[in-house]
Amino acid sequence: MDRSVTDTELTLAPASAFVPAPATPYQGDIARYWDHEARPVNLRLGDVDGLYHHHYGIGDVDHAALGDPGDEAYEKRLIAELHRLESAQTDVLLDHLGPIGPGDTLVDAGCGRGGSMVMAHQRFGCTVEGVTLSAKQAEFANRRARELDIDGSVRARVCNMLGTPFETGRAAASWNNESSMYVDLHDLFAEHSRVLAVGGRYVTITGCWNPRYGQPSKWVSQINAHFECNIHSRREYMRAMADNRLVPQTVVDLTAATLPYWEARATSSLVTGIEEAFINSYKDGSFQYLLIAADRV
């Protein structure tokens, strides 16, 4: 990879300034998957308030706010409630980043359409650099940043998260929000460890299969096939972090907190056919939804 880009270019250059070829044929497949992904779920949820996420939600559903299922406005309220739970998930991730100031730089690895980046900048006033293999997602995220007049602080680029152009030790914090299942964890955490300052914080929220179950269940296999991903075990996360100078400080099991989101989504017009696999795997214990916060030592 070309490391000759200047620090100024790294901060201010548009997404098109650093466009490496996918490192593997698989990553090329993933780039094409998200460039051509046409399910309306993420756009319909994001249209509620202009924050476009590519992850799921946590928290209890506010049934009082939903009202009568027979009401013609019920579906609109249900979509708004699902989106509220998505943003609540991002808030929990941001809560675990530690003390962040306006002068800090954060890295969102697998930034999607940029909803988490916008929320991070709105909370901390900091610079947020996002990377995604999808040119379509990066273009969308950058357009939203311009519309919000924060494009000087929030930027997405087309980039392999396993080899970013960011300066070593530059980031105060970094994260993967449901994006680590597309890469080798040792390679991923080696790159986060390189980018983070000593004492910097890494956070991931992810689904992982439960080693106590024995092997990935049929439900986990269905999720892998649906998203063309490779879900890792909880044990793999811990080992790969330990091998790359990332010391877990907090592990939060969010499995029970995410079930209401999935059960509500299964009753909505946003159904994609994968809801049953998530619900059943969370209930039988073969799949877990975790937050892991680790410090770079």
Side-chain angles (χ1 to χ4, degrees):
M1 280 185 191
D2 182 3
R3 298 284 183 180
S4 63
V5 184
T6 67
D7 289 348
T8 300
E9 287 171 324
L10 288 179
T11 302
L12 300 177
S16 59
F18 187 80
V19 188
T24 65
Y26 169 73
Q27 288 180 312
D29 289 343
I30 297 305
R32 285 186 290 274
Y33 175 93
W34 287 110
D35 277 342
H36 296 97
E37 186 262 341
R39 297 186 186 96
V41 54
N42 298 117
L43 293 174
R44 288 184 64 191
L45 289 164
D47 284 344
V48 171
D49 62 4
L51 288 169
Y52 292 87
H53 299 300
H54 276 273
H55 59 257
Y56 307 123
I58 60 172
D60 293 329
V61 174
D62 186 349
H63 293 284
L66 293 179
D68 185 354
D71 189 321
E72 63 180 13
Y74 178 82
E75 179 67 15
K76 182 178 180 179
R77 292 195 294 267
L78 178 55
I79 289 173
E81 182 65 5
L82 291 171
H83 180 64
R84 182 184 69 82
L85 298 180
E86 281 188 312
S87 291
Q89 189 259 33
T90 298
D91 277 328
V92 169
L93 186 152
L94 298 179
D95 287 344
H96 285 81
L97 290 182
I100 303 296
D104 289 326
T105 296
L106 310 182
V107 173
D108 183 350
C111 63
R113 289 185 169 99
S116 296
M117 292 198 296
V118 173
M119 290 181 66
H121 173 72
Q122 289 175 338
R123 180 187 289 204
F124 303 118
C126 59
T127 297
V128 190
E129 299 274 11
V131 299
T132 171
L133 285 173
S134 169
K136 181 179 178 181
Q137 289 182 344
E139 180 183 5
F140 189 103
N142 288 329
R143 184 173 66 249
R144 282 297 296 141
R146 289 192 298 271
E147 290 168 353
L148 295 168
D149 197 26
I150 58 174
D151 52 308
S153 300
V154 174
R155 198 71 52 91
R157 69 184 72 213
V158 181
C159 181
N160 181 350
M161 71 172 75
L162 302 183
T164 67
F166 307 125
E167 179 184 350
T168 297
R170 170 76 175 277
S174 62
W175 69 83
N176 286 93
N177 197 353
E178 295 185 19
S179 56
S180 56
M181 63 287 297
Y182 289 103
V183 294
D184 177 88
L185 290 181
H186 282 271
D187 293 341
L188 175 67
F189 294 150
E191 182 63 1
H192 279 287
S193 184
R194 183 190 70 79
V195 169
L196 283 168
V198 173
R201 172 64 57 87
Y202 170 76
V203 178
T204 185
I205 295 183
T206 186
C208 57
W209 63 270
N210 187 352
R212 292 185 179 181
Y213 194 81
Q215 290 291 330
S217 67
K218 65 177 181 179
W219 304 117
V220 171
S221 297
Q222 286 183 23
I223 296 168
N224 276 334
H226 184 87
F227 293 106
E228 299 183 22
C229 64
N230 180 33
I231 293 166
H232 307 288
S233 73
R234 176 174 180 157
R235 184 176 296 141
E236 288 175 282
Y237 279 92
M238 299 305 178
R239 286 176 175 170
M241 286 184 180
D243 289 343
N244 288 285
R245 303 183 66 85
L246 294 171
V247 178
Q249 304 297 311
T250 305
V251 179
V252 183
D253 189 338
L254 297 170
T255 306
T258 197
L259 260 175
Y261 168 89
W262 284 103
E263 291 171 338
R265 177 167 146 172
T267 69
S268 75
S269 60
L270 301 177
V271 170
T272 63
I274 199 61
E275 289 77 14
E276 180 185 22
F278 276 92
I279 292 169
N280 288 336
S281 61
Y282 285 143
K283 286 185 173 180
D284 71 14
S286 63
F287 197 40
Q288 296 176 305
Y289 196 52
L290 294 185
L291 179 149
I292 307 171
D295 286 347
R296 166 67 164 89
V297 299

